[in-house]
Amino acid sequence: MKAKQTSISLIIVMIIGMLTSCQKDFLDKNPTAAVAGEEFWKSDADAQMGLAGVYRRLQNGFYGHRKLWLDTYSDNALDRHTFYGFNSNLTLGVVNPTNIPGAFYNTPYEGIGGCNFFLDNIDKAPSSEAAKTVYKAEVRFIRAMIYFDLVQAYGGVILYKKAPVSVDDAKIAKSTKEEVLAFVHEELDFAIANLPDAAYSGHAVKGSAQALKARVYLFQQNWPLAASTANAVMTGGKFQIYQGGYANLFLTTTQQNNPEIIFSTKYLAPNNPQGDEGVLVEIGWYGSIAPYQNLVDDYEMSNGKMITEPGSGYDAANPYTNRDPRLKFTIKVPTEKYINPDGSVFNESDPLLTTYSQKKYIDLSKLPFDRSKTPLTDQNIIHIRYADVLLMYAEAKNEVSGPDASIYSALNEIRQRASVNLPPVNEAVYNTKDKLREFILHERRIELALEGHRYYDLKRRNLMGIKLAPLKNPGGAQLVFGEKNNVLPFSQTELDRNKQLKQNEGYN
């Protein structure tokens, strides 16, 4: 990876070569033309194209459509095809420097390299100072997001604030977790001060940075600042719960200018669809993400009661009847059939190991899913949405002062969106800080299921071991949490390349 850091310029030139030089950026038009590196930074169009190159980095790894696979490292689902090379090891406690996949480390640092290259060169462009300040704020927001993900995975990591100019310059010691998080906050403060206070339409805005900052505070368990920062988004008036159908949040045609989406990775067919085979093939056809029964059982009944509660009305013979509508919007259950345009039944390519497959993000209007047909899959992958902000506020505010009307209101705003329409939170039952905390974490699991949040949510609350303990994978192996201190090991390859990088505790 460090060798890659010395080739940042070449990496970015290759990225730029995939973007158009005559349109605003790939977020609005498909990338088609190439441009030579030595000709760059000569116009504002070049600056915008360079910015587009930074955004395009978000189409890789966990920033692109494979973000959804993060849920398979939790109690939510199984990664049946081991796309990231873990072979289920992460949930079996077999994690070491020789089997850790590069996705957690390489892709983020490639993204950081792109951010640094842009920031190191943007002042060469003849763009107005006002425009360059906004461009810098967007890139610094993205850099903060990536560094925060590295901290969530590894704790302290190597901090590059500028692109290294040589191999030796790249070989430095890691900074502490606290130092990296301080840098993340500096980046987000700059972004908040300089990004447009506007609705999200593809470029980071002030609300994007505020929401991410609230998430960082939540990770740090700085409950007062997490609550107040989330509340700033809530009172800002730029975002709201989408009332056009929960399932439609994840479909291309209804994602454009959607008032609930605060930040996402964008795609655009026909020239810039999702890489590899996209969610329609990998999830829709292969059934690669296999939800566990444990997740299915956590969905409430339509009357707001858990299936184990007296009076819930749960019928084991008809387990998917009268359930929280989000169940069938998120998961394909065994009683459901996908029907092809010719009236035939669509079948996944492989038997479903848990009897369930992911439905969220699957566009049924594009049936039948088939790798040979190369479907143009371009659903945007959502990183932050307004429901998440409401949940962050509820969790943090409850830790600050216990149950109050504002917390119930935030939760009910999510639960009573059109197409879900669940009863309000039962305030007589969830009337203490402990009980409400448990319910909020339940609501986070359900609302954000299979979007790539559960893995980090459980780690930050030190709940992973507890939640995995009742589960076995389809092969009968007990799930366990084997990471030391909630951090991953650096790969042996990275340690060999950089002798200044010290392994995380417990992995030597």
Side-chain angles (χ1 to χ4, degrees):
M1 181 60 227
K2 305 305 178 298
K4 291 181 182 178
Q5 291 294 322
T6 69
S7 310
I8 292 301
S9 297
L10 292 177
I11 291 170
I12 294 302
V13 167
M14 287 189 290
I15 298 169
I16 291 167
M18 302 176 71
L19 306 172
T20 175
S21 62
C22 59
Q23 301 293 340
K24 183 176 181 182
D25 59 38
F26 88 97
L27 300 171
D28 303 311
K29 299 292 182 182
N30 293 305
T32 56
V35 60
E38 64 270 13
E39 299 172 358
F40 213 62
W41 308 113
K42 300 298 185 183
S43 67
D44 184 60
D46 286 351
Q48 292 186 36
M49 186 163 46
L51 178 63
V54 174
Y55 275 98
R56 197 179 190 283
R57 269 294 175 195
L58 297 180
Q59 294 182 358
N60 298 332
F62 289 141
Y63 298 101
H65 74 275
R66 286 187 173 170
K67 177 185 179 72
L68 313 182
W69 269 260
L70 283 172
D71 267 37
T72 67
Y73 304 143
S74 74
D75 58 344
N76 274 359
L78 169 77
D79 177 5
R80 65 166 301 169
H81 289 127
T82 63
F83 273 128
Y84 280 103
F86 260 130
N87 299 315
S88 301
N89 286 332
L90 189 58
T91 53
L92 294 178
V94 185
V95 183
N96 59 62
T98 63
N99 74 354
I100 186 76
F104 281 101
Y105 194 87
N106 293 354
T107 299
Y109 273 110
E110 288 166 5
I112 288 166
C115 292
N116 286 344
F117 181 81
F118 180 90
L119 293 168
D120 290 350
N121 288 277
I122 181 58
D123 284 329
K124 298 175 184 176
S127 309
S128 70
E129 289 304 313
K132 285 193 284 191
T133 297
V134 174
Y135 301 159
K136 291 175 185 178
E138 292 183 58
V139 173
R140 290 177 68 171
F141 162 79
I142 292 171
R143 186 165 63 173
M145 181 176 72
I146 296 173
Y147 267 120
F148 178 51
D149 285 342
L150 283 167
V151 168
Q152 290 182 97
Y154 294 97
V157 293
I158 294 175
L159 187 57
Y160 296 114
K161 297 183 180 182
K162 298 178 73 69
V165 296
S166 71
V167 173
D168 288 338
D169 284 343
K171 296 177 180 179
I172 60 176
K174 65 183 179 182
S175 298
T176 66
K177 178 178 74 172
E178 292 73 23
E179 288 169 339
V180 181
L181 288 174
F183 178 67
V184 167
H185 281 297
E186 290 174 12
E187 297 287 271
L188 292 176
D189 287 342
F190 181 87
I192 290 167
N194 292 287
L195 287 173
D197 188 11
Y200 174 74
S201 61
H203 288 262
V205 294
K206 180 179 180 179
S208 309
Q210 289 173 313
L212 180 57
K213 193 171 178 68
R215 184 178 289 173
V216 178
Y217 281 136
L218 207 70
F219 171 79
Q220 295 177 292
Q221 297 193 1
N222 187 330
W223 308 120
L225 287 179
S228 62
T229 307
N231 189 58
V233 181
M234 294 160 58
T235 57
K238 301 299 187 298
F239 303 97
Q240 62 187 42
I241 291 293
Y242 175 60
Q243 301 298 339
Y246 178 83
N248 292 336
L249 268 167
F250 311 98
L251 304 181
T252 305
T253 55
T254 44
Q255 287 183 322
Q256 309 309 312
N257 301 315
N258 190 299
E260 186 164 339
I261 299 176
I262 297 177
F263 191 71
S264 65
T265 292
K266 301 202 75 175
Y267 297 90
L268 189 64
N271 293 331
N272 191 37
Q274 291 179 7
D276 300 311
E277 294 160 334
V279 296
L280 297 188
V281 170
E282 292 183 354
I283 297 176
W285 191 34
Y286 297 162
S288 297
I289 294 180
Y292 284 121
Q293 183 70 48
N294 177 275
L295 171 60
V296 173
D297 289 345
D298 212 17
Y299 283 83
E300 300 165 36
M301 299 298 291
S302 58
N303 61 11
K305 293 181 179 291
M306 304 297 180
I307 63 172
T308 55
E309 281 188 72
S312 71
Y314 176 71
D315 179 1
N318 298 285
Y320 315 115
T321 302
N322 297 323
R323 300 292 292 276
D324 178 340
R326 291 173 293 185
L327 170 58
K328 291 186 179 179
F329 292 147
T330 303
I331 297 170
K332 182 188 178 189
V333 301
T335 55
E336 182 175 13
K337 290 182 171 60
Y338 290 170
I339 305 301
N340 293 318
D342 65 2
S344 63
V345 175
F346 169 81
N347 292 307
E348 290 81 2
S349 62
D350 298 0
L352 300 178
L353 296 183
T354 65
T355 74
Y356 302 105
S357 62
Q358 176 164 340
K359 187 175 181 181
K360 185 178 281 186
Y361 277 105
I362 301 303
D363 187 348
L364 297 181
S365 73
K366 294 186 177 181
L367 282 166
F369 311 133
D370 186 332
R371 180 178 58 192
S372 65
K373 293 183 170 63
T374 317
L376 295 175
T377 309
D378 63 354
Q379 287 98 319
N380 301 327
I381 301 301
I382 302 171
H383 297 294
I384 311 172
R385 57 187 177 93
Y386 188 62
D388 188 4
V389 171
L390 293 173
L391 288 163
M392 288 191 285
Y393 171 79
E395 182 179 349
K397 188 66 166 65
N398 182 57
E399 296 297 339
V400 171
S401 55
D404 69 23
S406 71
I407 298 172
Y408 295 125
S409 176
L411 295 172
N412 292 336
E413 194 172 346
I414 298 167
R415 294 167 60 81
Q416 298 184 315
R417 74 161 80 230
S419 79
V420 175
N421 293 316
L422 286 174
V425 179
N426 189 330
E427 297 181 25
V429 173
Y430 302 105
N431 58 356
T432 68
K433 180 183 288 188
D434 289 346
K435 290 179 181 178
L436 189 54
R437 177 192 301 119
E438 183 177 346
F439 184 82
I440 292 167
L441 295 177
H442 154 80
E443 186 65 28
R444 276 194 71 84
R445 184 187 197 188
I446 298 304
E447 174 66 20
L448 304 176
L450 307 184
E451 295 179 41
H453 297 287
R454 181 71 169 174
Y455 172 65
Y456 288 130
D457 274 346
L458 291 183
K459 290 215 306 179
R460 69 180 173 80
R461 278 290 193 172
N462 292 314
L463 290 172
M464 186 70 82
I466 295 170
K467 294 298 184 181
L468 291 184
L471 303 180
K472 294 182 178 180
N473 68 18
Q478 174 66 52
L479 301 190
V480 297
F481 188 54
E483 294 167 84
K484 286 82 171 174
N485 302 319
N486 267 355
V487 296
L488 296 172
F490 297 110
S491 75
Q492 190 59 48
T493 300
E494 294 303 321
L495 297 171
D496 291 342
R497 286 173 176 169
N498 179 8
K499 299 302 183 182
Q500 299 299 313
L501 179 63
K502 302 304 180 185
Q503 184 59 275
N504 280 326
E505 185 179 352
Y507 292 106
N508 292 310

